[in-house]
Amino acid sequence: TQLLEQSPQFLSIQEGENLTVYCNSSSVFSSLQWYRQEPGEGPVLLVTVVTGGEVKKLKRLTFQFGDARKDSSLHITAAQPGDTGLYLCAGALGGSEKLVFGKGTKLTVNP
Amino acid sequence: GAVVSQHPSRVICKSGTSVKIECRSLDFQATTMFWYRQFPKQSLMLMATSNEGSKATYEQGVEKDKFLINHASLTLSTLTVTSAHPEDSSFYICSACPGGDNQPQHFGDGTRLSIL
């Protein structure tokens, strides 16, 4: 059983389109991180959300943490080819530094 | 800040060789580091939690005698793949977490291990 369900697993869109990636769980997380990973490299932290209902913006990326801290979403506006990559959500369960990872969303933005 | 360095980035060696991978936190101290394995087109799979000054905690199904972890200082953890075989070929990634509540993990750039 996957503790953190991430969807969609694959997404191929045209430049300029909007998209949303979802991470859902039945567990409550003390914090949730979003990472982006390029092939052959380690994941790079995009954002950490901690408070239920929190919304953070990073240029064209908007991250939201659910009110109950069980789910999160990443919305990208006007996607660009440079946004192509593997997006990973990862939640920290209370009292532990261990992260639970979603399966990842492989995003391809075509010019 | 919060830079994690992993070395080497790529290793190609013969079957039966032992391979050591280093993970260093460059600008912070980390009592805990993590080692992950990633298969092609898949997410990260936690192998073990490396604890400074004590034994590592391994996830279910990970052979501790196969994957030796040493965390000798607050800035360095090593993973040694002993007597590596082709099925050990994978992308290994480490991470470290600065102390404090809700601090995110920061990842190294990974090590591509290829066993011939």
Side-chain angles (χ1 to χ4, degrees):
Chain A
T1 303
Q2 184 73 18
L3 197 59
L4 193 53
E5 297 285 347
Q6 185 171 347
S7 62
Q9 192 173 353
F10 298 97
L11 191 55
S12 181
I13 61 173
Q14 293 300 122
E15 182 176 1
E17 292 183 1
N18 303 330
L19 66 112
T20 303
V21 178
Y22 300 92
C23 275
N24 298 291
S25 177
S26 58
S27 299
V28 177
F29 297 106
S30 57
S31 68
L32 190 140
Q33 285 91 47
W34 284 91
Y35 295 87
R36 179 180 157 199
Q37 185 181 23
E38 302 277 1
E41 299 180 9
V44 174
L45 179 68
L46 296 174
V47 79
T48 299
V49 285
V50 177
T51 305
E54 183 176 7
V55 177
K56 282 191 174 180
K57 292 191 174 184
L58 187 65
K59 296 184 180 179
R60 293 175 294 100
L61 278 60
T62 302
F63 305 86
Q64 186 164 8
F65 201 14
D67 290 341
R69 291 186 285 131
K70 294 181 179 181
D71 53 84
S72 182
S73 64
L74 157 61
H75 183 78
I76 301 179
T77 305
Q80 299 177 1
D83 295 328
T84 293
L86 179 68
Y87 289 82
L88 297 160
C89 63
L93 295 169
S96 173
E97 292 178 312
K98 285 171 58 172
L99 287 179
V100 174
F101 275 86
K103 287 190 174 182
T105 297
K106 179 70 174 70
L107 172 65
T108 303
V109 183
N110 302 299
Chain B
V3 178
V4 176
S5 173
Q6 190 171 338
H7 180 81
S9 59
R10 187 176 181 93
V11 180
I12 302 173
C13 56
K14 294 181 179 180
S15 184
T17 306
S18 291
V19 178
K20 180 185 283 188
I21 303 170
E22 293 187 349
C23 182
R24 294 180 184 272
S25 56
L26 297 186
D27 51 359
F28 64 97
Q29 293 183 332
T31 55
T32 305
M33 293 185 176
F34 301 90
W35 288 97
Y36 296 84
R37 184 172 179 175
Q38 187 175 32
F39 293 99
K41 299 182 181 180
Q42 294 189 24
S43 187
L44 280 68
M45 181 189 78
L46 179 64
M47 298 175 64
T49 302
S50 174
N51 305 298
E52 189 269 334
S54 65
K55 292 183 179 180
T57 305
Y58 290 82
E59 295 300 301
Q60 190 173 10
V62 178
E63 299 178 59
K64 59 183 179 182
D65 295 330
K66 175 75 171 178
F67 300 99
L68 299 179
I69 291 172
N70 184 274
H71 195 151
S73 76
L74 288 171
T75 59
L76 173 64
S77 175
T78 61
L79 168 68
T80 301
V81 184
T82 61
S83 187
H85 292 285
E87 58 266 28
D88 298 323
S89 298
S90 194
F91 192 54
Y92 293 87
I93 312 175
C94 71
S95 73
C97 188
D101 292 339
N102 297 316
Q103 289 293 319
Q105 289 184 23
H106 296 270
F107 288 83
D109 280 338
T111 297
R112 172 67 61 192
L113 177 61
S114 300
I115 308 298
L116 306 177

